[in-house]
Amino acid sequence: MAELTTTKLNPESHLLLDQPLLRLPVELSRKNFKLAAVHVEHDKKLLLGALKTTANNSLSGKKDLSETLDSLDSMINRMKNLKRKMAGFHEEEAVTHRQTRQRLEHLHTLYQIPSLADIKYDEWSRIRLNRLLVDYLLRNGFGESARALAEEKHIEDLVDLDVFVQCHKVEESLRRGSAQEALVWCSEHRELTRKTNNTLEFELRLQQFIELRRKGRLLEARQHAQKFISPSIENNNPEVHRAAGLLAYSPQTRAEPYRSMYSPSRWDFLANLFLKTHHELFSLPTRPLLHIALSAGLSALKTPSCHSKYASSSSNASSTTTTVCPICSTELNELARNLRHVQHNKSSVEHDPIVLPNGRVYGRDRLLEMSAKVGLEVGRVKDPTTSEVFDASQIRKVFIS
């Protein structure tokens, strides 16, 4: 019964890491539906207005038959264009539904695995590890490697290749000093970002104004500010006033905040702001899922002694012990250094604990046995961690309360 308790699989705890797996398809479906509704509403308004005008002109005799037919042809062409747009939205929706179905089946498999010792759990965990690796590669700009790995492992529907590839393209364009692709993205997602009072589009327009001022094109800069910046004065009052003041300062100024506004580092700020906006819009965590999983796993294994100066033989040459603790290994020791350790509710101790003068606790029989093996005389004991040697009369018995 004890073994069953320790190896029983709890699917709910596993799914805490996999929430974005289902959230993103839902957000993509929502975005797809809203964009389709915007196009339908826009074309509907234009078509009804054009149809009413054409009908009135035809009945009143203001236009002849050929002009009326031309108007009808124009409306038919607009409807055909709308149909093509709707077909594109339908294809995107079909892909999203297929991915959602595959992801639900993948997660449902977890509920059919009774134990952590089941071979099916190893297979499921391997698939999740591959997903985390693809997510990490995508977030760091290795789109081709991520795609190759996804195709090799047949998990294309379990990862978000296109979303991250498009995100990385916009991010890179911003770091290169171009706001055009980001503005196109803002235009496509304006209906979704409007309710969140997001400042990304305003900051991009402000950057365009800064670049015009940097090049000395003052007239164009003023026109740009009147069209794109001044209308946002209610929500971005301080920024609008600073933009107005920028007209009086050259790019060589040392006065703040204008010096910072001219700084090339603003492009990095815009790239980071875009990533934040993108991930919030699609309910994606800002950190790679691999980092989150590693942090949780390392913290679960870490103990207070893992980074002690007497930690283990892997980090202390004078230690005579060996360890199977993964955190004390040379590969993971530094990686886990700044992580907190978990509070363990259960601990295991020797049946005959004693304490040495330096405060370290060991089992008496095993300590004496080890001391004899290293060649110490009878009545002397050696601390296997610090290599200190003590008289046996100095050890004290420990009572667990």
Side-chain angles (χ1 to χ4, degrees):
M1 179 63 70
E3 181 181 357
L4 179 62
T5 302
T6 56
T7 61
K8 184 178 180 181
L9 177 64
N10 182 6
E12 301 298 330
S13 62
H14 283 66
L15 295 184
L16 291 174
L17 188 64
D18 291 307
Q19 293 181 20
L21 191 65
L22 293 179
R23 281 183 177 176
L24 184 58
V26 171
E27 295 299 331
L28 289 175
S29 293
R30 182 181 301 173
K31 183 201 83 167
N32 204 45
F33 176 79
K34 287 187 176 181
L35 291 178
V38 168
H39 282 286
V40 169
E41 190 63 29
H42 178 261
D43 283 5
K44 172 187 171 184
K45 186 180 296 184
L46 292 177
L47 285 169
L48 288 178
L51 184 60
K52 182 177 180 180
T53 301
T54 301
N56 290 337
N57 290 337
S58 178
L59 291 174
S60 62
K62 293 181 179 180
K63 291 187 177 180
D64 57 23
L65 181 60
S66 61
E67 291 177 324
T68 302
L69 291 175
D70 289 341
S71 297
L72 292 173
D73 288 338
S74 176
M75 287 185 278
I76 291 172
N77 288 332
R78 179 174 289 278
M79 293 178 68
K80 287 181 178 179
N81 289 334
L82 178 60
K83 183 180 179 180
R84 282 194 291 270
K85 292 177 183 178
M86 292 300 105
F89 286 127
H90 178 71
E91 291 177 3
E92 292 179 13
E93 192 71 14
V95 171
T96 304
H97 287 174
R98 187 190 71 233
Q99 291 179 342
T100 304
R101 188 180 302 110
Q102 292 291 330
R103 296 177 186 203
L104 286 171
E105 291 176 358
H106 170 65
L107 297 179
H108 180 65
T109 303
L110 191 62
Y111 285 86
Q112 299 174 330
I113 302 174
S115 168
L116 295 171
D118 197 310
I119 187 64
K120 292 182 179 178
Y121 177 72
D122 290 339
E123 297 172 356
W124 191 90
S125 298
R126 178 61 60 180
I127 293 175
R128 179 166 71 169
L129 176 59
N130 289 329
R131 289 197 297 104
L132 298 184
L133 290 173
V134 171
D135 175 83
Y136 180 81
L137 290 171
L138 287 170
R139 289 172 181 267
N140 286 275
F142 302 105
E144 293 301 321
S145 298
R147 189 178 298 277
L149 177 60
E151 292 175 353
E152 179 184 343
K153 302 300 181 181
H154 308 291
I155 56 173
E156 297 95 322
D157 287 336
L158 301 180
V159 293
D160 308 298
L161 293 169
D162 294 335
V163 172
F164 278 105
V165 168
Q166 179 62 30
C167 174
H168 183 67
K169 286 181 179 178
V170 177
E171 178 197 359
E172 284 301 303
S173 70
L174 286 171
R175 297 195 189 279
R176 291 194 306 267
S178 172
Q180 195 58 42
E181 290 190 34
L183 285 170
V184 171
W185 186 90
C186 288
S187 176
E188 293 174 352
H189 299 83
R190 185 173 292 121
E191 292 297 323
L192 304 177
T193 58
R194 182 174 296 169
K195 295 181 180 179
T196 61
N197 295 324
N198 189 273
T199 61
L200 175 61
E201 186 170 1
F202 172 80
E203 293 290 350
L204 292 170
R205 295 298 185 185
L206 177 59
Q207 187 64 36
Q208 287 184 318
F209 170 79
I210 294 172
E211 296 305 317
L212 289 171
R213 176 63 186 89
R214 191 196 308 275
K215 296 174 183 177
R217 296 155 62 177
L218 296 180
L219 179 60
E220 294 179 48
R222 291 180 59 186
Q223 293 173 344
H224 178 87
Q226 291 173 354
K227 183 177 181 180
F228 296 110
I229 297 179
S230 297
S232 303
I233 192 169
E234 291 185 5
N235 298 325
N236 303 279
N237 195 311
E239 290 80 3
V240 172
H241 288 160
R242 282 196 287 267
L246 196 68
L247 292 171
Y249 291 87
S250 70
Q252 290 76 35
T253 183
R254 294 182 176 275
E256 292 291 353
Y258 308 108
R259 181 183 179 184
S260 298
M261 294 175 74
Y262 279 121
S263 173
S265 63
R266 253 191 68 85
W267 288 107
D268 291 328
F269 161 75
L270 291 173
N272 294 331
L273 179 60
F274 166 75
L275 287 177
K276 179 176 180 291
T277 303
H278 178 274
H279 293 350
E280 286 180 353
L281 183 64
F282 293 113
S283 300
L284 293 169
T286 55
R287 296 171 59 200
L289 295 174
L290 184 64
H291 286 185
I292 298 174
L294 275 175
S295 299
L298 292 174
S299 291
L301 295 172
K302 184 177 178 180
T303 65
S305 63
C306 285
H307 289 92
S308 165
K309 64 179 179 179
Y310 306 120
S312 68
S313 58
S314 63
S315 57
N316 179 14
S318 65
S319 174
T320 59
T321 64
T322 58
T323 178
V324 294
C325 174
I327 305 302
C328 294
S329 66
T330 55
E331 294 84 3
L332 298 179
N333 194 260
E334 279 303 312
L335 197 60
R337 181 171 297 278
N338 296 323
L339 294 175
R340 301 181 64 179
H341 58 81
V342 297
Q343 180 67 38
H344 293 281
N345 295 323
K346 295 182 180 180
S347 60
S348 300
V349 296
E350 301 282 352
H351 70 282
D352 55 349
I354 55 94
V355 61
L356 296 177
N358 61 5
R360 303 187 71 83
V361 177
Y362 299 98
R364 182 179 183 278
D365 291 345
R366 295 180 64 182
L367 183 64
L368 293 175
E369 180 184 355
M370 187 277 299
S371 298
K373 285 182 179 180
V374 297
L376 289 182
E377 59 187 30
V378 178
R380 304 284 286 176
V381 293
K382 181 178 182 179
D383 188 327
T385 302
T386 66
S387 298
E388 296 174 273
V389 178
F390 303 98
D391 192 275
S393 62
Q394 293 179 282
I395 64 177
R396 295 289 181 267
K397 186 174 179 59
V398 174
F399 296 93
I400 307 298
S401 59

